[in-house]
Amino acid sequence: MKALLVLALSSLCATAMADEVPADVAQQQPAVEDYTYSMHLDIAKVISMSEVPNVCEVVPVKMEYDDSKGQRHILRYSVMGNGCSSG
């Protein structure tokens, strides 16, 4: 009977500890870096890019990427929106 109780409690503890892992991973989200012209970019793989809004002005966008060492970065930079008509 005691062995069954110990087994039940240990499985509950393991489940509780497993629930904590995603929270630790979320805390490891990299800080957003602002792009400057003097920056040396080491982009090995682009993970995601934010959509460029349909406005006629300069807007900030973000790119998430991995460098050649496998470290994740988030870069914020400015682009011209897609809402301008040429003519």
Side-chain angles (χ1 to χ4, degrees), residues 2-78:
K2 287 181 183 179
L4 184 59
L5 180 62
V6 169
L7 182 61
L9 287 176
S10 65
S11 66
L12 284 174
C13 291
T15 304
M17 292 173 75
D19 288 342
E20 293 177 10
V21 173
D24 292 341
V25 172
Q27 291 176 354
Q28 295 175 358
Q29 184 75 3
V32 176
E33 304 169 59
D34 287 314
Y35 175 76
T36 62
Y37 287 111
S38 61
M39 235 181 206
H40 171 71
L41 296 177
D42 176 16
I43 302 172
K45 180 181 179 183
V46 174
I47 305 303
S48 66
M49 295 179 70
S50 60
E51 293 290 324
V52 178
N54 196 22
V55 296
C56 189
E57 60 186 296
V58 176
V59 293
V61 293
K62 291 181 186 175
M63 175 176 59
E64 187 171 349
Y65 68 93
D66 289 340
D67 64 16
S68 60
K69 296 177 184 173
Q71 293 180 332
R72 182 77 37 108
H73 298 269
I74 300 175
L75 183 68
R76 180 175 35 224
Y77 58 100
S78 298

